[in-house]
Structure formats: structure tokens, C-alpha cells
Amino acid sequence: MAKRAMTSEAKAAKSKSILDKSTEMFMVLDYDKIKMSDIAKNLGISNGILFVYFRTKEELFFRILCREYEKRLTHLIEMAKTTPVRDYEDFKNLVMNELMELIDQNPLYIKLESMRTAVFEKNVDAETMLHQKINLYKRMSELVGIICKSSIISPEDVMEILQTEASIITGCKLSATLPEAVIHIIEQNDLNGLKRNFEEDVRKTMIWYLDGYPINHMVNRTAGQRPQFD
């Protein structure tokens, strides 16, 4: 068995190796079928050492999600820097281009995001949750600052839209994920209309939401009047 890492650099490297190996396993196995003991065995470490770094499986996979979300925010920041938001159409294109790229290229993030509320946030301890969210909030604030530089859209609206986007991803993923037995029944009875196309569902739902947002939500929160938004 490998020895327990002691220096801060070695601990960081060990934590990363645990996250990396768990990610590999998650891409080929269902979450429920992954055991902490299996992760430890694949890494050649004891169960005790693994639990030193991550107290629960939920905490471990929540950390993977946060790592992926930080990568996503970094990419969004770069996109926002290279494609300035001059009007609402620019903002809409930024959101949609990143979203469709995410769906096409990052199935790991999609799988984890769809589990965030029901599995991870429900079971991860408050201290871990707070620490991770503070780190992500700093990156999110940087992104919002870049997007809102031209005052076309408010920080509150950007945050609300991105939070709703996460809910849309989760909802569409859950509705498109059917048990194999159900899929078999659908195919056997030529009921393919009951199948959902996750990518298309997300695209349509998000476009409808963004198109309606200026009318339904972008109002002056104190005066109750719609702002100039052209």
C-alpha cells in the first residue's frame, strides 16, 4: 500500500490523483455502483487513507463537480473577454454557444450537475459546501463583472439566468434518462415519441427562456418599470 502523503504538495497531488481516478470510474460506471473501497483499491491505497482526504463518496464527487465548474467558469471568462457583450443578443449568444459546447464536449459535467441538488448538496457537510462555494463565487463574480461591464445587463440578472440554466440542464437530463427496461418497452411497442433528446430539449428550453427574459424579468426592481434594453 502507498504511504500517506505528508507535505502540502504531496497531499495536493494525492487528492488530485483520487479525483482523477474517481472521474475515470464515473465515466464507465453508474454512481451507485462505485464504492469508496473500489476507488481505494484502484489507487493502491487503504480505505483509511482515502477517507482522510474525502470523508464520504458524496463529498468526493461534489469536489469533482466543483473542479469541473471552475474549469467551465474559466472558459466562460475567456469567451466573455474575446466576445464583448454589447447588447442582449451578444449575451444570449455567449450563453447559448457555451451551453451547447458544454453539452457536446463535457458529459462528465452534465452527469454531475444533474445529481448536484438531489445527491451531493443534500449529503455534503456545510463546511465543505461553504468552502467550495466561496471559491466558485469568486470566479463567478469575475465572470459577471466582465459581462456587465457595458451595463447592458445587471449582475443580478446574469446570476439568475445562470442558475436557471443549471436547473434546465438538470430537468432535461432527468427527463431524458430512462431505465433500460423502460427503453426496451418503448422500442418493443414502437413508442419512440416518448424518448427525449437531451441536447435538443436543453437548446429549445434555454432559447425560450432567454427570449422571454427581457419581457418577464428585466424590470426595475424598485420602480416596477421595464428598463431600456436595446
Side-chain angles (χ1 to χ4, degrees), residues 64-75:
I64 296 174
L65 172 58
C66 291
R67 185 170 70 166
E68 289 302 309
Y69 194 52
E70 185 169 0
K71 291 178 186 176
R72 183 188 178 191
L73 287 174
T74 298
H75 181 53

Side-chain angles (χ1 to χ4, degrees), residues 84-143:
V85 175
R86 297 159 297 188
D87 53 34
Y88 186 70
E89 194 64 24
D90 284 343
F91 172 71
K92 177 182 170 182
N93 289 335
L94 171 67
V95 171
M96 290 306 303
N97 289 340
E98 190 276 335
L99 175 60
M100 300 317 295
E101 182 180 317
L102 181 75
I103 291 172
D104 183 57
Q105 300 180 16
N106 198 339
L108 171 63
Y109 177 88
I110 299 300
K111 287 179 67 176
L112 290 168
E113 177 61 34
S114 67
M115 299 169 62
R116 174 173 56 85
T117 303
V119 179
F120 306 138
E121 293 186 347
K122 184 178 179 181
N123 295 289
V124 174
D125 68 273
E127 183 180 353
T128 298
M129 183 77 64
L130 179 62
H131 177 72
Q132 292 298 316
K133 291 206 169 187
I134 286 175
N135 290 337
L136 293 175
Y137 184 78
K138 292 177 182 177
R139 296 296 284 162
M140 179 66 80
S141 297
E142 182 181 354
L143 171 64

Side-chain angles (χ1 to χ4, degrees), residues 36-53:
M36 292 290 272
S37 58
D38 294 331
I39 296 172
K41 183 177 179 181
N42 274 275
L43 285 162
I45 61 176
S46 69
N47 292 345
I49 290 179
L50 177 59
F51 283 110
V52 166
Y53 288 89

